[in-house]
Every structure is written in structure tokens, then in C-alpha cells.
Amino acid sequence: MLIYFILPIIMLIVYLITKPYQLRVLFIIISFGMMGLVGALRASSVGVDTGTYEFLFTYFTGDPTTASHYPIYDYLSQFTRLFSVNPHAITVVIAVLTAILFAIFLIRVKEINALYAVFLYQAFLLFGTSMNSSRQFLAISLVANAAVFLFKKKWIYFLVLVIVAIEVHSTAVVSLVLIPIYFLKWSQKTMITFLGIISIVFPIKNFMLVQFMRIFPDYAIYDGRGALSANTQGAGGSTLFNLFIFVVYFGIVFFLLQRKTPFTRFESNIIYSYGIYAYLDLILSNLVIVQRIFMYFSIMGIIAIPLLFKKLSENVDRRTYYLINSVFILFMIFYLYIQLEHDYIGIVPYSIF
């Protein structure tokens, strides 16, 4: 477990060294370089699905049935086998490639504090989860970059990356929800109306999930009839975490809207993309299929929250700002510690292959 706390300390030191020279890009590269290295060097036992992906790489690369479900990922596996047939080779490639894509994502979003974003990437357990669902996280890293293209009106790049992401992991199809989010004219009224509609839909969620799986049968593995029906480990802590995030996030959003704080179209898209996730995650957190969908939107939190706190700092006195920010950061550190202490995500103890 110690390695997951040593990494943020090293990153803080790197940030303090690079900040005076305004070397933001270098800080992001070093940070994700370290995370990519840790992910690449992990043993097959680190990450609940790592061994499974290595097994698939060894015995099913090039298999017609398997390739038809995720062709781009299969091409990547075949390319990797040109250099090594060691089962761990695919783990190394995916870990490094995912780290590179997330580094590019943060480099492109210049509006936020890089240290805050890197910290949240770990505190939200995104780094840890990337060592579990590594193939899906590769797709998520592609969708994250696609979202930036969409919110900056570069449609062709968005569609290309989404198609690639879907052919890496079929769950990436849910990223198309970003399109209506982009077109909505967000305001306080819009947000309340949208959340109200979601609340009305909540009682028929099971019916909607069944219809969704008929259209996208690859989601059937998460339909509730097997071990993946619900995430019961740490459920109580996760509920409290979701409630805390909901209260803090929407509290700041509504405060800023009341103050008529100006937001660019890009900022609004990011803030409300994560806002929808924060609300749905609170009311549907016990369904694994929904959690799998949410993963594509939860990544927006690492840029949405620093952006909100930046806006908050412009609207309240320093004492209030530092108090709210400190409470939030301390809570995130505590949540990370609890999750790692009980190893709810299957990455502790860390071991090198």
C-alpha cells in the first residue's frame, strides 16, 4: 500500500521544483510516467483482471470470435506479439499507452491546476482502477481526449477517437451521451430540470437497463445475474463518498450560478458532464453495469473539480476558500486510505513481476 502514498509525495516534490519554471507539461509527463511505470511493472496478481487479460493475450489473440468484439484491441495485441509473446507484455503496453493518453488529456486542458488534477486521478481511485479494468481504461483515456475535441468543436477528431474507443471496449458507446450534453444550453434552470428528469426515470431503471442490454448485448455480463451484479465491498463508504461529492460539487455549482459567475462553453460542458455523473452515481451506485458506464464520465472530475475551485476562489474570501478546499482534500486522502487499507479494488499489496 505504501507505494500509492509515496507516488503523490514524489509528484508534489516534482511540482514544487517545476512550478517556478512554469514547466507544467514536464510535471504532467513525469507524473504519468511514474504511474505508467508502476502499472507496467506490477505482477499479474496486482489488479483483479490483470491475469485474465494476460491469459487472453496468450491464447486468444487473433481469435476470430474475440477479435470481432474488440478489433482495435486485438490488433494492438497482435502488434505487441511481434515484439514479445510474454503474457506480461500486454500489461506493459496497456499501462504505458493509457498513461500517455491521460498525460495528453491533462496537457490539453490548460485551464486547470495540474497538481490538483493528478492528485484527484489517484484519490478518485482512477489510477488503481486502471490496473483492474485495463482494457476499459484504455478506452476511457481515448474518450477523455475525444471529449476535449468535442467541447472545442472538433467533431471529426471526436468521432474518430470514439470509434477507436468502442473497438477497444464496447462500453465506450456510452460516450455518445456527451453529444447532447454539448448542445444543451446550461444554466441553473437547465440543470435542475435535467436532474428532475433523471429522478423521474429512476423508478424504471431496471426496465431501461434491460432495453439497453438488448441493444448492446456486450453489457450482459454486468446485468445482475452473476458476481458482477453489485459492488458490495466498501458499499457504505462509497455511499458516503458519493454523498459528500454530491453536496460539495453541487453546492459550489449552485453558489457560482447564483453569483452569475461566467463560464465558457468548454468549462460548462466539463462541469455539467461530471455533474450528471455525480448525481447518477449517488442514486445508482449499487449497480455494476451503471458503474461501468459512469467510468467514462467520472474522469471529468479530475478537471471539473479543480476548475470549480478556481472559480470559487474568485467569488469568496481566501479564508473561506482555503477552508472548503482543505476539508475536501483531507476527505479525499482519508477516502483513498480507507479504500487501500481494505483493498477494495484489488491492487494491494503491490508486487513487481
Side-chain angles (χ1 to χ4, degrees), residues 277 280-281 284 290-299:
Y277 155 79
L280 288 175
D281 198 36
L284 299 171
V290 178
Q291 291 174 359
R292 287 281 177 160
I293 295 172
F294 289 168
M295 289 173 68
Y296 289 92
F297 302 96
S298 64
I299 192 64

Side-chain angles (χ1 to χ4, degrees), residues 15 19 24 27 106 109-118 302 306-307 310:
Y15 178 78
K19 187 176 186 246
R24 178 178 182 273
F27 165 72
L106 283 188
V109 185
K110 300 180 176 64
E111 292 86 348
I112 52 93
N113 180 282
L115 177 63
Y116 212 153
V118 169
I302 71 173
L307 180 60
K310 179 182 176 182

Side-chain angles (χ1 to χ4, degrees), residues 54-74:
E54 293 185 357
F55 174 81
L56 293 173
F57 173 74
T58 302
Y59 296 103
F60 288 90
T61 297
D63 178 80
T65 303
T66 305
S68 66
H69 284 82
Y70 35 83
I72 297 296
Y73 182 79
D74 189 70

Side-chain angles (χ1 to χ4, degrees), residues 3-20 23-24 26-39 99 106 113-123 127-128 336:
I3 190 170
Y4 301 112
F5 288 98
I6 292 176
L7 273 177
I9 293 173
I10 295 175
M11 292 172 188
L12 176 60
I13 294 171
V14 172
Y15 178 78
L16 294 175
I17 293 173
T18 57
K19 187 176 186 246
L23 299 174
R24 178 178 182 273
L26 179 61
F27 165 72
I28 294 173
I29 291 174
I30 293 175
S31 296
F32 277 92
M34 287 191 293
M35 287 187 280
L37 182 64
V38 169
L106 283 188
N113 180 282
L115 177 63
Y116 212 153
V118 169
F119 164 71
L120 290 177
Y121 184 74
Q122 297 171 77
F127 173 51
L336 175 62

Side-chain angles (χ1 to χ4, degrees), residues 191 195 246 249-250 270-280 304:
M191 192 68 173
L195 295 181
F246 175 83
Y249 194 83
F250 280 95
I270 292 172
I271 289 171
Y272 291 116
S273 295
Y274 185 74
I276 292 169
Y277 155 79
Y279 181 62
L280 288 175

